[in-house]
Structure formats: C-alpha cells, structure tokens
Amino acid sequence: MPTPESAAFLAKKPKVPPTFDGVDYNDSQRFKAAQDAILREQWVKSMMARLVREELAKCYYREGVNHLEKCGKLRERYFEALKESKVRGYYFQQQNYIPGVDNPTGQDLSAEGIAKPQDGNFATVTAEEAKKQGDSRL
C-alpha cells in the first residue's frame, strides 16, 4: 500500500501547468513557477528515458543473441523517449508561441494576446495591435 505524500513534498509540488499560457510576465512569482514547472517536466522525461535505457541494457544482457526478438518493445519505447529526453530549458518557449504545442488544450489564444519583448520587458499585445505593427507571425 503506498504511503501518503508528505506535507514537504506537496509544498514543493508545482501548482501550475508546464506552459507560459496565461502567465503575466510582470508577476514574478507566477512567471518563475511556470519556468520551474517547464524544467521539471523536461527532467522527468529525461529520467524516464534513462530508466527505459537501463531496462533495455538489462534485457540485452539477459537475452544475449535473441535480443532483437525479445527486447523489441523496450527498444521502440526507448526510441520514442529519446525524442523528448533532452532538457532544452524555457527561453524558446518563453519568447515564442507555437499554437498546439505551447497550448495543449487547443484553444486559440491569439485574440487574447501574445507576449512580445518591449524595451527589455515583456508586454502583451493583442492580435489587432500586432497586425497594425506589421507582425507577420499572426
């Protein structure tokens, strides 16, 4: 039977999704929490790939010459985990909005605004303002 999570663990557990959607860039606490959640999610994927790799190595050693037949599922799972296992950081996601990737819910947030650097700070610009300014990303 699993033990209940401790209060210290629950206090450190992120309360925000690993995305910058809906984060006010001037609110430093929520901004830092989003950065931490993104990095934590990337590290989890990296560690999952490491665990699958260790299991694959055990399978190769255990099965010997039959590893091509016996370890195929682990090998495919490891190749899928390798695609997402690199810790890339949050700067690209912080400065560039990619529809469908940064917003997994599928909502169109272009009308609500996008984050753009402006005089060293990030400011929210609506889609209409961006079109007036000649922004070709929308």
Side-chain angles (χ1 to χ4, degrees), residues 27-28 37 40 49 67-68 77 80 84 96-97 112 118:
D27 184 5
S28 61
R40 183 174 285 116
H67 70 83
L68 290 174
R77 198 166 149 204
E80 290 299 317
E84 303 172 349
N96 301 297
Y97 175 74
E112 294 178 21
Q118 188 174 29

Side-chain angles (χ1 to χ4, degrees), residues 3 9 12 20 29 33 47 52 63 94 96 100 104 106-107 119 123 136 138:
T3 60
F9 178 80
K12 292 182 180 180
F20 284 107
Q29 287 183 335
M47 292 298 116
V52 173
E63 298 299 333
Q94 174 180 328
N96 301 297
Q107 296 173 326
D119 299 328
S136 61
L138 297 175

